[in-house]
Amino acid sequence: MEDVLLGLETAFQQEDWGLAEKLIHDLLEDDGMNPSLWYNLGLVRRKAGNNSLAIETFTKTLEMSPNHKGAMFERAAAYLDLEHFHDALNGFAEYTVAFPEDADGLLNLARIALHLEVPDLALSAFQKRADYDNDAENIIGAAEAMQMQGNEDGIGMLRRLFANNPGIRPELLKLMSQGSSGRVPLNSKQFLG
């Protein structure tokens, strides 16, 4: 077993995801009900670019450990990588119910809600996130959600941000003039987490 663990560490360091997957399978032969092993298998599959299998693996992890924080987050992110936006939205919604103080989960939920043009959900997530991290992205996102709702207070927020932050003026101008149609397509690699 120690040889397998050393081999696994080396496989991770060398980013040899095929070998890492094989070695985790070896460990699962002895400990098939270990949610941590299943979770790590899901991570390896994500690193290898196999998000469909990773989703199945994270689902198995969650069957064994229903509130496994990492598996919940990574499954939602894998859905996002596959551009299954509704599944990703549902995944991050579930995640933020279980972990309501996770600013990264709230940001992901809010950004996907903006992408799907669900401004009420987006604004709610941005408002909750403001308690933990009210950075420029949070303010811009909340303003965009308000703009989608037809609430002119969002433009006022953007104008104040524009006046006080010259470094982000191009992005603000684009948002103020184009709204959500000017956003870059979503990709989980842009997310924190």
Side-chain angles (χ1 to χ4, degrees), residues 75-113:
R75 181 173 68 174
Y79 277 126
L80 185 60
D81 282 347
L82 292 171
E83 298 185 359
H84 296 174
F85 296 117
H86 290 283
D87 291 326
L89 181 77
N90 291 334
F92 280 113
E94 178 184 345
Y95 178 82
T96 58
V97 166
F99 304 99
E101 296 177 359
D102 188 305
D104 295 337
L106 289 166
L107 179 61
N108 294 345
L109 175 63
R111 292 186 73 214
I112 295 166

Side-chain angles (χ1 to χ4, degrees), residues 107-178:
L107 179 61
N108 294 345
L109 175 63
R111 292 186 73 214
I112 295 166
L114 281 179
H115 179 76
L116 294 175
E117 298 185 6
V118 185
D120 294 343
L121 178 59
L123 185 58
S124 173
F126 281 124
Q127 288 170 336
K128 290 175 186 173
R129 185 176 181 265
D131 292 339
Y132 311 107
D133 191 358
N134 198 25
D135 58 7
E137 182 170 10
N138 205 72
I139 295 167
I140 291 168
E144 183 175 358
M146 293 168 80
Q147 185 179 7
M148 280 183 183
Q149 292 174 322
N151 183 340
E152 293 302 315
D153 291 341
I155 292 293
M157 288 172 57
L158 292 177
R159 286 186 182 128
R160 285 189 298 280
L161 195 59
F162 183 85
N164 297 322
N165 297 282
I168 59 172
R169 285 183 178 160
E171 291 84 2
L172 288 172
L173 283 173
K174 186 174 186 180
L175 177 59
M176 288 189 289
S177 64
Q178 298 177 357

